[in-house]
Amino acid sequence: MSKVLVIGAGGVGSVAVHKMAMNPDIFSDITLASRTVSKCEAIAQSVRERTGVTIKTFAIDADDVAATTALIRQVGPKLVVNLALPYQDLAIMDACLAAGVHYMDTANYEPRDEAHFEYSWQWAYQDRFKDAGLMALLGSGFDPGVTSVFATWLKKHHFERIDTLDILDCNGGDHGQHFATNFNPEINIREVTAPARHYENNKEVVTPPLSTKQTFDFDQVGPKNMYLMYHEELESLNRHLPEIKRIRFWMTFGDAYLKHLEVLQNVGMTRIDPVLYNGVEIIPLQFLKAVLPEPASLGASTKGKTNIGDIATGLGKDGREKTLYLYNVCDHEDAYAETGNQAVSYTTGVPAMIGAAMILTGAWSGEGVFNIEQLDPDPFMDMLNKHGLPWQLHELPAPLDF
Ligand code: NDP
């Protein structure tokens, strides 16, 4: 019997719970809790219709540590999978420590009032999890998540030494809307409008947001413009694979998305400080989120594919300098047909299910706080192939020339 409690009933939570229900040998008892219980119930109904599995649902405000601790004690899971928002990470980690259960998430902590995310807050829990004999697994989505597993798998099986690593995240999907984000708009816009940072010789190099652009021809998607961005796995990969001399993260954006974003920024709609409106304080970015399409509603109309992967250059185990490209291609319509969610939620929810499976089956164990690249990539890579995110490995004729 492996009981799991998932917190967060958005697109990612929905995919993770569907995939857990499809693996009852690992997830024998599933509970889903979130702020709005009707969203949990809608997911539970879809899971029942698609898989025949019944999951339990609860309302919870995960910012309330006492209430979350009480819920964990009532449900009695071995693991809590946090698929709410990055703002809830520390509160849910506190509740897991209080209730004595393992913790997992897909995004690092971010305070609501600063457009700033880093691992320091969660790494500071190391001693508390270690002393309690519990495991906290950070960042088991696609990026962070699979992209870091890809890096350690490449290092384990193919490289003596990796010199440069580029993570390329391409969403070639079209949802037919003028402007919408594929995951939580508040988190997405905060991420995209932040200064770009990458690592060179273990030091951060900062450049203005969206100021470095390259075109790359993605398999099954075609040529796309991609932009240098900061992404949280850069910080943990730099710490855990310090031999890598340059680590960068690139994400594709269409011109229409960037045009809308520029206007929204220029008129102040992406601000995260409170503004007085009709005597009420509102945060413009939160108001913007309320008027944009819910990411979960985009699934039915999204067509096209995502292509996300790592390009590593270094000294191969065979003594040759080489460049390898390891990536997954995921089809939005296939993801929707299987789980009722588009590929951005799917590519995050499936690795969340796999990370949870690693802990529940004991394939991964440990005491303390772990980033995913600290663990053996092999069982995770096997499950990606079996559970909807198969990967491909190709040798490129030359390193990236930018
Ligand atoms: P959504 O906004 O669709 O879903 C978030 C869910 O969390 C909602 O159901 C929301 O409830 C719930 N929630 C918010 N606050 C609370 C709270 N205080 N207590 C309980 N529940 C709460 O986001 P996504 O599903 O797209 O993303 C989920 C997580 O996955 C995020 O942390 C995101 O950053 C991360 N992510 C990671 C990726 C990766 O590759 N590593 C990629 C994409 C996302 P309500 O419905 O009431 O608002």
Side-chain angles (χ1 to χ4, degrees), residues 87-110:
Y87 313 136
Q88 277 79 53
D89 287 4
L90 302 187
I92 298 177
M93 288 175 88
D94 284 332
C96 285
L97 283 167
V101 301
H102 302 304
Y103 169 88
M104 197 203 93
D105 66 29
T106 64
N108 71 7
Y109 175 67
E110 187 174 338

Side-chain angles (χ1 to χ4, degrees), residues 317-361:
K317 286 200 183 290
D318 55 2
R320 272 193 310 125
E321 295 287 331
K322 60 170 72 166
T323 298
L324 296 181
Y325 187 16
L326 179 57
Y327 60 86
N328 160 263
V329 175
C330 183
D331 185 281
H332 282 285
E333 288 172 275
D334 291 350
Y336 188 74
E338 188 186 336
T339 66
N341 296 276
Q342 36 84 356
V344 174
S345 302
Y346 191 89
T347 52
T348 312
V350 172
M353 179 280 284
I354 296 175
M358 293 292 105
I359 296 175
L360 292 178
T361 59

Side-chain angles (χ1 to χ4, degrees), residues 24-78:
D25 47 330
I26 301 172
F27 302 94
S28 52
D29 189 319
I30 305 163
T31 301
L32 175 63
S34 193
R35 190 165 50 187
T36 312
V37 74
S38 58
K39 293 194 182 173
C40 301
E41 287 159 358
I43 293 170
Q45 186 182 339
S46 167
V47 168
R48 206 165 31 248
E49 284 165 11
R50 288 171 197 267
T51 67
V53 171
T54 299
I55 64 169
K56 296 183 210 69
T57 57
F58 288 94
I60 188 69
D61 175 3
D63 290 318
D64 182 339
V65 176
T68 309
T69 306
L71 177 68
I72 298 172
R73 291 203 173 113
Q74 181 186 342
V75 172
K78 190 168 165 188

Side-chain angles (χ1 to χ4, degrees), residues 191-321:
E191 184 176 281
V192 175
T193 54
R197 288 184 274 157
H198 71 277
Y199 284 87
E200 276 188 42
N201 298 315
N202 307 105
K203 293 206 172 52
E204 259 186 24
V205 180
V206 183
T207 44
L210 306 171
S211 59
T212 309
K213 169 175 147 181
Q214 292 291 342
T215 303
F216 189 85
D217 193 357
F218 289 91
D219 180 26
Q220 298 180 56
V221 175
K224 290 274 172 197
N225 289 334
M226 60 181 194
Y227 296 80
L228 190 67
M229 276 189 41
Y230 182 66
H231 224 239
E232 61 202 57
E233 63 265 50
L234 302 186
E235 185 188 13
S236 69
L237 285 169
N238 179 59
R239 177 172 168 152
H240 296 121
L241 292 171
E243 68 179 34
I244 306 180
K245 296 191 187 76
R246 189 191 67 206
I247 315 179
R248 300 182 297 188
F249 182 95
W250 304 86
M251 192 177 268
T252 62
F253 298 105
D255 292 344
Y257 176 92
L258 293 177
K259 182 179 78 183
H260 282 80
L261 190 62
E262 189 185 354
V263 173
L264 291 167
Q265 253 185 311
N266 286 345
V267 299
M269 280 307 295
T270 59
R271 282 170 56 176
I272 60 168
D273 53 319
V275 173
L276 210 56
Y277 175 74
N278 279 348
V280 182
E281 276 197 348
I282 60 162
I283 310 255
L285 182 55
Q286 288 177 359
F287 179 75
L288 176 63
K289 173 182 186 287
V291 297
L292 288 176
E294 282 254 0
S297 71
L298 301 171
S301 59
T302 306
K303 294 184 173 30
K305 294 180 195 324
T306 62
N307 177 327
I308 318 176
D310 291 12
I311 296 180
T313 297
L315 179 65
K317 286 200 183 290
D318 55 2
R320 272 193 310 125
E321 295 287 331

